[in-house]
Amino acid sequence: LPLAGRDVGETLLELLASPHLCSRRELFQHYDSEVQARTAMKPGVADAGLSVLRGAIEASQGNGAAAERAFRRALELDPNAANTHAYFADFLVSTGRVDEAIPHGERAIELDPFNALFHGLYAVVLYGARRYDDALAGARNALAMQPRLPPARNTLRGSLFAAGMLDEWLADQRE
């Protein structure tokens, strides 16, 4: 096995460091010059997705600076990617930078209003900002879309407890 004795995260980071992995620049340049038409996927979008993946891996390994660089690079490449904003917000709140996380969580929902996970992650951000009523409303909204969504369920429980709504908290714990 090529991974024998290696950390999977390290292997993925090594693969992601390759300038050739999922790079579509030459393909798009050739296609655009030959066909003179719009492409189905804009140049950089695949690279933005890889940067988000890199950010998540770096964050999971405790490499905050590298994770932040990767998320910011993804936003440079595709500033309208809802998933990038959602995961960057989650990363920022995990580092205690809640004020920076809020606009990214809001933007993720603005870009993809029907994504339960993004609503759930934004509820986590609001909880981190100690805006428990807003976090509770956000968690309930996410759970209405996807009833077993872990970030929303955990935020709902934490917000109920923090808001002193212990009867509801106990009832939810029993479910």
Side-chain angles (χ1 to χ4, degrees), residues 87-137:
Y87 300 135
F88 190 37
D90 188 52
F91 165 75
L92 288 168
V93 82
S94 75
T95 62
R97 295 159 55 194
V98 179
D99 290 341
E100 290 178 66
I102 290 172
H104 289 286
E106 290 170 347
R107 182 71 175 138
I109 291 172
E110 179 184 311
L111 292 165
D112 192 352
F114 302 109
N115 189 307
L117 177 60
F118 298 167
H119 281 273
L121 291 175
Y122 184 53
V124 171
V125 170
L126 294 171
Y127 182 84
R130 300 186 193 288
R131 291 172 46 185
Y132 302 123
D133 290 338
D134 293 334
L136 188 58

Side-chain angles (χ1 to χ4, degrees), residues 14-167:
E14 184 178 310
L15 286 170
L16 290 172
S18 169
H20 305 292
L21 182 67
C22 290
S23 176
R24 308 270 193 296
R25 180 176 297 145
E26 290 180 20
L27 173 69
F28 285 118
Q29 287 172 345
H30 177 73
Y31 180 87
D32 287 344
S33 66
E34 295 294 323
V35 180
Q36 294 296 312
R38 294 186 147 203
T39 59
M41 182 185 285
K42 293 179 184 175
V45 171
D47 296 327
L50 288 172
S51 287
V52 172
L53 176 60
R54 182 183 194 101
I57 293 169
E58 295 285 9
S60 74
Q61 294 187 338
N63 301 327
E68 183 168 349
R69 279 192 305 275
F71 284 122
R72 290 198 186 279
R73 178 69 178 139
L75 286 171
E76 286 174 20
L77 292 168
D78 188 3
N80 293 317
N83 67 321
T84 304
H85 285 283
Y87 300 135
F88 190 37
D90 188 52
F91 165 75
L92 288 168
V93 82
S94 75
T95 62
R97 295 159 55 194
V98 179
D99 290 341
E100 290 178 66
I102 290 172
H104 289 286
E106 290 170 347
R107 182 71 175 138
I109 291 172
E110 179 184 311
L111 292 165
D112 192 352
F114 302 109
N115 189 307
L117 177 60
F118 298 167
H119 281 273
L121 291 175
Y122 184 53
V124 171
V125 170
L126 294 171
Y127 182 84
R130 300 186 193 288
R131 291 172 46 185
Y132 302 123
D133 290 338
D134 293 334
L136 188 58
R140 285 183 171 146
N141 188 27
L143 291 168
M145 291 185 247
Q146 190 173 336
R148 299 205 178 276
L149 186 65
R153 176 64 58 197
N154 294 338
T155 301
L156 175 82
R157 290 177 176 163
S159 297
L160 287 169
F161 189 83
M165 303 168 78
L166 300 182
D167 290 338

